[in-house]
Amino acid sequence: EALRNFIQAYLASVASVDEQIGKILDALEQSALRENTIIVLTSDHGWGMGEKNYLYKNSLWQESTRVPLIIRVPGLTPSGAESAEPVSLVDIYPTLLDLCTLPADTRKNAKGHGLDGHSLRPLLAHPANGTWGGPSSALTALYKWRTKYDPSQESYSLRSKTHRYIRYENGREEFYDTRKDPHEWTNVVGDSSYREKLAVYRTQLMSRI
């Protein structure tokens, strides 16, 4: 009964947000800015609603790591199209720089670090087959509060089009073949038939962090 009430309240919150977004979009549609405004709708982490006996945020499964990302660019994005390419929120800023034809080099001088992320413009123009210049998997980091930050001691997830690899800070791993198991119920990390594929994701994760 408590879970039903919790989900009802959550869905009510989503419906309320949806209504307010609708009001903003209706006002934009009726304004002179309609064809000169880029719309980006996104959020932070998702939320477990009882799946896998887990209720709350801060998991590394799909329910918590996937977030909304809807972008409309007048004259560029086809209506209602979707892309299956895993991307990250860090890609939004370079995308806006690209779309607004602003300088992509944001360094103050040569000592600065290059801009992280990649422009989503090719995927916005051609969602089904656009050329993606970013990594093949989206990285999620689950930070553990401590006095000294150590990237090697955090928990991480890599999500590609076909698999999810999770490595927890205690060394435990999970690996899911999301083509066969889209809800990530079966951890195949101990399945010998996935040994080579798992090794690839381990290497990719270490390279990313």
Side-chain angles (χ1 to χ4, degrees):
E1 182 64 23
L3 182 58
R4 284 196 292 269
N5 289 333
F6 179 90
I7 294 175
Q8 181 184 30
Y10 187 88
L11 294 178
S13 299
V14 172
S16 176
V17 171
D18 183 58
E19 182 178 3
Q20 304 313 313
I21 292 173
K23 292 179 179 179
I24 295 174
L25 296 182
D26 287 344
L28 178 61
E29 289 296 311
Q30 298 168 18
S31 76
L33 300 175
R34 180 181 185 277
E35 296 301 326
N36 192 36
T37 300
I38 297 169
I39 299 173
V40 180
L41 173 63
T42 189
S43 174
D44 59 355
H45 52 74
W47 198 290
M49 304 296 290
E51 304 90 345
K52 306 180 180 70
N53 292 324
Y54 191 85
L55 185 70
Y56 196 49
K57 53 187 178 180
N58 292 347
S59 83
L60 289 171
W61 300 312
Q62 181 80 340
E63 291 83 11
S64 186
T65 59
R66 187 182 186 189
V67 301
L69 181 57
I70 304 173
I71 302 177
R72 191 193 81 171
V73 184
L76 179 68
T77 49
S79 178
E82 297 182 10
S83 172
E85 195 71 50
V87 299
S88 301
L89 297 183
V90 72
D91 299 315
I92 293 178
Y93 184 56
T95 299
L96 293 176
L97 291 180
D98 188 5
L99 294 173
C100 298
T101 62
L102 295 172
D105 187 356
T106 59
R107 296 177 299 172
K108 184 176 181 179
N109 54 50
K111 295 181 179 179
H113 186 278
L115 187 64
D116 289 321
H118 297 77
S119 174
L120 300 171
R121 183 173 190 138
L123 300 180
L124 297 176
H126 306 285
N129 55 11
T131 301
W132 171 236
S136 60
S137 55
L139 175 68
T140 299
L142 189 58
Y143 176 69
K144 181 176 181 180
W145 294 102
R146 56 168 64 88
T147 56
K148 184 179 180 181
Y149 175 65
D150 184 352
S152 67
Q153 299 300 313
E154 307 299 334
S155 298
Y156 296 98
S157 168
L158 277 183
R159 177 64 158 88
S160 71
K161 288 182 180 180
T162 59
H163 296 81
R164 178 184 298 280
Y165 170 61
I166 297 173
R167 195 203 72 185
Y168 295 99
E169 52 94 16
N170 62 4
R172 189 166 62 88
E173 296 175 303
E174 296 176 19
F175 195 51
Y176 299 97
D177 186 340
T178 54
R179 297 166 300 180
K180 303 176 181 178
D181 181 23
H183 298 293
E184 303 171 355
W185 287 110
T186 305
N187 180 11
V188 296
V189 73
D191 188 331
S192 60
S193 64
Y194 287 93
R195 185 179 296 120
E196 293 183 4
K197 180 66 69 174
L198 176 58
V200 170
Y201 280 77
R202 284 171 174 158
T203 301
Q204 287 182 358
L205 178 61
M206 294 309 298
S207 175
R208 294 283 292 273
I209 66 176

